């Protein structure tokens, strides 16, 4: 039986930190579904669900066991629907923990058939987040060390337009 994991997130936009977690998850499971989802606490996404999905897809083509999908419903419902055994999240710092712990418990309550698995982020990505990338780009800073090169220009175009 194939062991499927779901790696959910906003990916607004996908960063090298996300890509590192996705890559490492891909070596632990038979298939990893990167699920571009909606976080109700984030109402002002810079990229649409479809755009975020396309960006993640374009930077993961080298990984054979990655599937990219989007979903605007409950994560637990999706996980159950696809028969995944794990939800994979990256943890950067202690500050991430409380929120992630709360989500893991809520998801377990909603669907008992999958475990949340936390991967510790690589040390060089500790500070990295989509919002840090957006702030730097908005002020005209260099984001080339933070996002995959393939989508660098698309990100810059959008975020400069936002100013
Ligand atoms: O990258 P983010 O914004 O931290 O990811 C959070 C996300 C999108 C994974 C989370 O908000 C989520 O799971 N959204 C789907 C809706 C849902 O199931 N919400 C309840 C989670 S307990």
């Amino acid at each position: 039986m194939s062991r499927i994991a779901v790696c959910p997130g906003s990916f607004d936009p996908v960063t090298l930190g996300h890509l590192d977690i996705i890559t490492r998850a891909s070596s632990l499971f038979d298939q990893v579904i990167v699920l571009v989802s909606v976080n109700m606490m984030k109402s002002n996404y810079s990229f649409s669900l479809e755009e975020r999905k396309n960006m993640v897809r374009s930077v993961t083509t080298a990984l054979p066991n990655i599937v990219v999908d989007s979903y605007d419903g409950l994560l637990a419902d999706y996980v159950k629907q696809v028969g995944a055994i794990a939800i994979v999240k990256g943890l950067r710092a202690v500050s991430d923990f409380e929120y992630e712990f709360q989500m893991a418990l809520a998801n377990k309550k909603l669907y008992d058939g999958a475990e949340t698995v936390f991967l510790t982020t690589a040390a060089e990505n500790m500070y990295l987040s989509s919002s840090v990338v957006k702030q730097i780009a908005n002020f005209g800073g260099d984001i080339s060390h933070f996002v995959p090169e393939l989508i660098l220009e698309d990100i810059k175009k959008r975020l400069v337009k936002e100013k």
Side-chain angles (χ1 to χ4, degrees):
M1 202 179 82
S2 158
R3 296 166 76 80
I4 303 171
V6 174
C7 186
S10 291
F11 305 108
D12 185 50
V14 61
T15 68
L16 291 176
H18 292 131
L19 198 52
D20 173 53
I21 296 292
I22 293 166
T23 305
R24 283 156 56 204
S26 77
S27 67
L28 296 173
F29 296 93
D30 296 322
Q31 185 182 67
V32 175
I33 304 174
V34 183
L35 190 67
V36 182
S37 317
V38 178
N39 182 342
M40 284 194 70
M41 321 259 257
K42 296 178 180 171
S43 52
N44 56 339
Y45 281 118
S46 298
F47 299 90
S48 71
L49 197 62
E50 197 64 18
E51 288 171 326
R52 287 181 273 142
K53 182 171 77 173
N54 289 339
M55 281 192 284
V56 177
R57 191 167 277 154
S58 70
V59 300
T60 54
T61 49
L63 298 164
N65 60 339
I66 296 285
V67 170
V68 184
D69 198 5
S70 58
Y71 190 63
D72 60 3
L74 271 181
L75 175 61
D77 289 344
Y78 184 92
V79 169
K80 183 177 178 183
Q81 208 175 290
V82 297
I85 58 160
I87 296 168
V88 176
K89 303 289 304 263
L91 268 191
R92 280 165 305 195
V94 180
S95 53
D96 281 347
F97 183 77
E98 202 173 322
Y99 172 65
E100 293 295 347
F101 191 60
Q102 192 181 20
M103 280 205 290
L105 290 178
N107 284 325
K108 185 82 175 147
K109 193 81 185 161
L110 290 169
Y111 176 56
D112 195 27
E115 297 293 335
T116 296
V117 174
F118 293 112
L119 297 183
T120 45
T121 196
E124 64 266 30
N125 294 329
M126 283 280 287
Y127 63 89
L128 192 49
S129 69
S130 299
S131 45
V132 162
V133 167
K134 284 191 276 190
Q135 282 216 33
I136 295 171
N138 257 289
F139 288 109
D142 179 11
I143 55 165
S144 61
H145 298 295
F146 311 139
V147 297
E149 199 185 340
L150 206 59
I151 57 169
L152 178 62
E153 287 311 313
D154 287 341
I155 295 172
K156 284 203 307 206
K157 247 184 258 164
R158 171 63 50 86
L159 296 176
V160 168
K161 246 198 278 174
E162 269 187 356
K163 278 188 91 173

